[in-house]
Amino acid sequence: LLIRGIEIEIGKKHIVILNCDKEAENIKSFKDVASYKKRKPDVLILAPHPFVFSPKSLKSSFLENIGLFDAVEMTVFSNIIFNFNKRAEAIAKKYGKPFIATSDTHFLKDINRGYALINVKEKTIEEVLNAIKNGDFQNKINSMSPFAMAKYRIKGVLNTIRPNTFRS
């Protein structure tokens, strides 16, 4: 089952929209997200890595717009020393938002680091998104070590300088 999705930037902050259409490419503000969600209630809005040490993380924008999000990402970019999931999980729980593992794959070898086993009777987009919204899944996560996190960051910076040079 393939579900269309897009990771958009609003003020350089990331937001993921699942089950979207091409119109989602025009979203430029949180107000646009709210309007889009109202017109397309069958989408799922995910808050990816809301507190990871990155300018792309939502941080305060997450709480300011908590009502827009249907779920919160449990990021693999976290570990015992740098636990970026702790605050995200606490806020997800406080606001009744599902906390779901994803790989946020930028490098293909990381695709199995994080994922969710979603419980559905039928493999349809509607069933999958409803299961996520209802928290009917089990998270599987293999968090990054501090060394892997450093390596990941370095590769990300190098890919910004010379795209497609450092893929593994």
Side-chain angles (χ1 to χ4, degrees), residues 20 26 40 45 93 117 140 149-150 153:
C20 59
N26 300 320
K40 313 274 185 182
I45 312 290
K93 184 178 268 186
L117 298 174
K140 302 293 181 182
M149 288 170 92
R153 279 285 185 218

Side-chain angles (χ1 to χ4, degrees), residues 16-40:
V16 172
I17 304 174
L18 297 179
N19 198 32
C20 59
D21 59 15
K22 192 153 179 62
E23 186 184 332
E25 293 177 10
N26 300 320
I27 294 173
K28 304 292 183 225
S29 68
F30 288 104
K31 186 177 177 182
D32 291 348
V33 174
S35 177
Y36 183 78
K37 188 174 179 178
K38 190 178 256 188
R39 288 190 315 279
K40 313 274 185 182

Side-chain angles (χ1 to χ4, degrees), residues 129-141:
L129 297 184
N130 283 336
I132 294 170
K133 290 176 181 179
N134 294 324
D136 196 8
F137 55 83
Q138 296 84 42
N139 289 323
K140 302 293 181 182
I141 196 143

Side-chain angles (χ1 to χ4, degrees), residues 74-79 85 102-104 113-114 141-144:
M74 172 189 280
T75 180
V76 298
F77 202 75
S78 196
N79 55 50
N85 283 322
T102 74
S103 66
D104 195 3
R113 278 198 187 274
I141 196 143
N142 179 16
S143 297
M144 290 184 169

